[in-house]
Amino acid sequence: MAPAKLTPLALAVLELLAERPMHPYEIAQLMRERQMDRRVKVKAGSLYHTVERLHGQELIEVVDTQRDGRRPERTVYGMTEAGRAALVARASEIIGSVAEEYPEFTSGLGVVNDLDREQALTQLRRREQVLVEQSSVDELINAELTGKALPPIYWLDFQYVRDLRAFELAWTRRLIEDIDSGRLRWQPRTAHENGTP
């Protein structure tokens, strides 16, 4: 039986365990500290479930249990050779292929003509404001990463997301301008469906 495809969260867990063994709570903390939660949804329940699944697939193994005072025992996991091979194989697959992704925004754009013009502009301006705020946070994180003298190879994922967000902000602003200026005109749905301008 072929091993299950690694989810983004499973890949992130293996990425951290490639550095050293750790327990799930430490993994979650490190993900937040390194801003990995900006590219992978990190919830405690799903993280623990992912760790259990990786353990069941023998991609990670228990290497220690630790107790700190009266706290419950913490299980420390390390990566197995099979885990390292799975990490490398999945990373190679992701880097070398273009996945078909279906962002919600494109679905909204497909039906934007069903909103009235002013409603569309209001929502696009709201989106623009959120993107501006997120871009500001991106720049703060970028300054922090640059200041750490951390080799850029370790934060390519962040650079990619930052650049995508900057592109989306610029594109959204152009769309707002096109609607505002009248270059992009609203069409009655019946005219569009009949193929008439």
Side-chain angles (χ1 to χ4, degrees):
M1 181 169 98
K5 186 187 228 182
L6 293 175
T7 65
L9 183 56
L11 193 65
V13 168
L14 290 176
E15 175 187 344
L16 293 178
L17 291 179
E19 295 177 19
R20 62 182 163 76
M22 49 185 99
H23 52 77
Y25 180 77
E26 185 179 9
I27 292 169
Q29 292 295 99
L30 204 48
M31 284 181 174
R32 286 184 197 70
E33 182 182 311
R34 293 187 182 177
Q35 308 291 330
M36 292 171 76
D37 57 342
R38 294 175 65 84
R39 67 173 157 103
V40 176
K41 186 178 267 189
V42 181
K43 290 185 178 178
S46 54
L47 176 65
Y48 282 93
H49 176 72
T50 297
V51 167
E52 286 174 16
R53 195 174 68 249
L54 291 170
H55 184 250
Q57 294 171 328
E58 299 181 355
L59 300 179
I60 63 175
E61 62 189 355
V62 175
V63 295
D64 194 14
T65 53
Q66 299 173 345
R67 183 181 292 276
D68 186 14
R70 303 183 82 156
R71 294 179 181 223
E73 270 189 355
R74 290 187 171 161
T75 304
V76 178
Y77 295 91
M79 187 185 313
T80 63
E81 285 304 313
R84 185 169 305 283
L87 172 69
V88 169
R90 183 69 180 124
S92 295
E93 179 184 343
I94 291 170
I95 296 296
S97 62
V98 178
E100 198 63 47
E101 297 174 325
Y102 302 95
E104 281 188 343
F105 186 48
T106 56
S107 295
L109 290 171
V111 295
V112 73
N113 194 49
D114 291 310
L115 303 177
D116 68 50
R117 181 181 176 280
E118 289 309 313
Q119 184 181 17
L121 279 169
T122 298
Q123 296 307 319
L124 286 166
R125 287 186 177 118
R126 180 174 292 149
R127 182 181 195 86
E128 176 189 23
Q129 185 56 42
V130 170
L131 289 168
V132 165
E133 292 166 7
Q134 291 174 339
S135 293
S136 295
V137 171
D138 288 344
E139 291 314 309
L140 291 172
I141 293 169
N142 188 61
E144 181 183 326
L145 290 170
T146 303
K148 287 183 176 180
L150 187 65
I153 191 77
Y154 292 120
W155 44 290
L156 290 174
D157 55 337
F158 168 75
Q159 292 173 339
Y160 178 77
V161 170
R162 180 196 64 191
D163 290 351
L164 276 180
R165 193 171 347 265
F167 167 81
E168 186 177 347
L169 175 58
W171 193 91
T172 300
R173 285 178 166 161
R174 280 194 312 271
L175 178 58
I176 291 169
E177 176 57 31
D178 286 347
I179 294 169
D180 238 356
S181 69
R183 284 190 300 268
L184 184 64
R185 297 179 309 169
W186 252 236
Q187 302 292 318
R189 178 56 78 177
T190 54
H192 171 71
E193 289 171 350
N194 294 332
T196 58

